[in-house]
């Protein structure tokens, strides 16, 4: 059995306690992982503080950039191994895991470039005052990430933090910690100083809670559930530190009757099938204008029934859910949904005996879902789409905004006016028109409104989150006039 130790101050810390990390495609144990606790978090925070003080804070942006580029190169070198590990640990199809590795490499490359052009301002207040701003790192940053995209989200949050000159403590999820641990090793190999990136796997209530409550952290970024987002925010509020929260959503695809349906449908299907619906930005609601409702659901059913299921490494269209707990959660929502709306396809675990050991669930469509239904409002985090119908633009806006979430929305129409009005009225961090997700690369700022969270990751905004602004005003003595 492969063991995965924590990585603290450049050294592997193995045990003493461990936990079993499962392969969700088979339910079998994949690895034994160090079960980090409060003492490990203490050591990791202290190591990060030392690394920050000793070197990383004073390392020139050009040199930080060079290390980040090397990390990116090494991720590319190890792409296939990383992808296979991610696929086994999360159950996601191999080609999706490969795409994740490519995107992780891009994060390091993108922020390697961005930090070299991160300047402060001068402010022309008065002739005898020299005023300028400095963008400083926070210091020690804490990163608590989920199990759905460990490599991608790990890179998304750690790359800009390191680029800006922070030193990090990364706490991966207990369900899928392996690629985040590998990322820590790769960073060391690339020449990142010991202690600049510490990775402490462990349980949420242990390592996670200890990290969020630690008085030695200066910034906290969290991706996961609303419930835990609230908890870690409260912990951070004790020490009055900034928090970035990315808490998922209930994102709608809104299809108007004039849309190019042939273009829309494959994208709509992919937006909920991707990673078995366990994606924060999954297109879990489908709002369709009345005249095209019948045609859309008919085609959707056909496409859902062609989706192939299997172990991630066999590269099917869709893998299993992450865990028995998640399977129970999704099944629970689907059972409840059967009393609220109509199942058109799926609605159960697959009958295929070969898939019984893994945590598989069939792609599921609910039709005629009332906007008040639980399955129309709550995040299921499985391959389940809720279809509702609307009559006009106003109703489309009301339905689109009818949940507590606001992460992503997509509008499908050929009418420029409809596109602009929807883009302006929809409450979401990002709105797509005639597309969905725009490839998930690092360029586009990303984050939520309402319960989907606050703060922005990705893009230049994502780098600025990991800096704090200092304003310096210097009184000048102009001396003799000449
Ligand atoms: P979770 O919020 O419990 O887990 C996310 C991370 O938080 C993990 O690293 C976990 O160890 C950590 N954590 C858990 N409890 C903690 C605590 N008390 N203090 C500090 N850290 C803690 O999410 P979970 O239970 O795995 O999934 C439940 C639901 O959350 C999903 O069904 C989905 O709706 C949502 N979710 C959303 C994600 C997103 O991408 N926004 C990712 C994962 C889950
Ligand atoms: Mg696992």
């Amino acid at each position: 059995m492969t063991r995965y130790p924590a990585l603290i101050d450049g050294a592997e810390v193995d045990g003493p306690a461990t936990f079993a990390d499962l392969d969700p495609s088979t339910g079998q144990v994949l690895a034994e992982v160090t079960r980090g606790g409060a003492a490990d978090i203490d050591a990791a925070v202290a190591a990060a503080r030392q690394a920050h003080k000793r070197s990383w804070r004073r390392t020139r942006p050009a040199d930080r950039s060079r290390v980040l580029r090397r990390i990116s190169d090494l991720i590319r070198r190890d792409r296939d191994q990383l992808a296979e590990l991610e696929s086994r640990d999360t159950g996601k199809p191999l080609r999706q895991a490969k795409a994740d590795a490519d995107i992780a490499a891009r994060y390091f490359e993108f922020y390697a470039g961005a930090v070299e052009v991160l300047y402060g301002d001068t402010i022309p207040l008065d002739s005898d005052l020299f005023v300028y701003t400095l963008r400083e790192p926070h210091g020690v940053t804490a990163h608590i990430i989920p199990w759905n995209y460990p490599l991608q989200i790990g890179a998304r949050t750690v790359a800009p933090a390191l680029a800006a000159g922070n030193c990090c403590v990364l706490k991966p999820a207990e369900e899928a910690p392996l690629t985040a641990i590998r990322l820590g090793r790769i960073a060391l190999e690339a020449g990142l100083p010991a202690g600049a990136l510490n990775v402490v796997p462990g349980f949420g209530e242990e390592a996670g809670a200890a990290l969020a409550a630690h008085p030695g952290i200066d910034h906290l970024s969290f991706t996961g559930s609303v419930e835990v987002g609230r908890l870690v925010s409260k912990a951070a509020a004790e020490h009055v530190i900034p928090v970035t929260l990315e808490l998922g959503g209930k994102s709608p695809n809104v299809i108007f009757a004039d849309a190019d349906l042939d273009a829309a449908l494959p994208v709509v299907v992919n937006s909920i099938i991707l990673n078995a619906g366990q994606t924060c930005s999954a297109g879990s609601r489908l709002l369709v204008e009345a005249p095209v409702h019948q045609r859309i659901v008919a085609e959707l059913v056909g496409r859902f029934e062609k989706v192939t299921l299997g172990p991630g490494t066999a590269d099917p269209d869709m893998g299993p859910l992450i865990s028995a707990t998640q399977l129970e959660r999704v099944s629970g929502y689907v059972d409840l949904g059967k009393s609220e709306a109509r199942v058109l396809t799926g609605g159960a675990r697959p009958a295929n005996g070969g898939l019984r050991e893994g945590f598989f669930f069939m792609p599921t469509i609910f039709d005629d879902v009332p906007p008040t239904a639980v399955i129309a409002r709550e995040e299921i985090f499985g391959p389940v789409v809720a279809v509702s119908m609307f009559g006009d633009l106003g109703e489309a806006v009301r339905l689109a905004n009818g949940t507590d979430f606001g992460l992503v929305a997509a509008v499908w129409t050929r009418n420029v006016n409809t596109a602009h009005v929807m883009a302006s009225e929809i409450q979401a961090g990002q709105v797509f028109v005639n597309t969905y997700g725009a490839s998930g690369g690092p360029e586009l700022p990303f984050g939520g409104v309402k319960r989907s969270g606050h703060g922005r990751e990705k893009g230049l905004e994502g780098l600025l989150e990991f800096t704090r602004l200092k304003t310096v005003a210097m009184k000048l003595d102009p001396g003799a006039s000449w």
Side-chain angles (χ1 to χ4, degrees), residues 20-24 30 88-91 174-178 322:
D21 174 27
L22 302 188
D23 175 342
L30 177 61
R88 293 195 71 192
D89 205 4
T90 64
E174 47 273 53
E175 293 85 351
L178 304 186
I322 188 71

Side-chain angles (χ1 to χ4, degrees), residues 90-91 93 96 147 149 250 268-286 300-301 303-305 307-310 317-323 326-334 343-350 359-367 375 378-387:
T90 64
Q96 288 174 24
W147 38 262
Y149 292 85
K250 190 74 180 176
V268 165
V269 171
N270 189 54
S271 76
I272 187 66
I273 294 306
L274 184 76
N275 207 24
Q278 304 167 115
T279 302
C280 47
S281 55
S284 52
R285 288 189 296 151
L286 180 56
L300 210 59
V301 168
R303 286 172 186 272
F304 267 50
E305 290 180 350
V307 169
T308 57
L309 263 67
D317 294 332
M318 205 179 90
L321 298 170
I322 188 71
S323 63
Q326 194 62 18
L327 178 60
E328 216 170 279
R329 192 185 153 90
V330 171
S331 307
Y333 272 116
V334 168
V343 181
L344 296 185
T345 184
R349 306 194 58 190
F359 310 125
F360 292 90
F361 199 84
M362 300 229 285
T364 300
I365 304 173
F366 279 105
D367 195 15
I375 56 164
E378 295 188 13
E379 184 177 53
I380 298 174
F381 230 54
V384 182
V385 66
V387 184

Side-chain angles (χ1 to χ4, degrees), residues 74 95 110-111 168 170 200 244 293 324 346 468:
L74 296 185
R95 61 187 181 281
F110 179 83
Y111 286 111
C168 309
L170 173 63
V200 184
T244 304
H293 175 229
R468 54 188 185 202

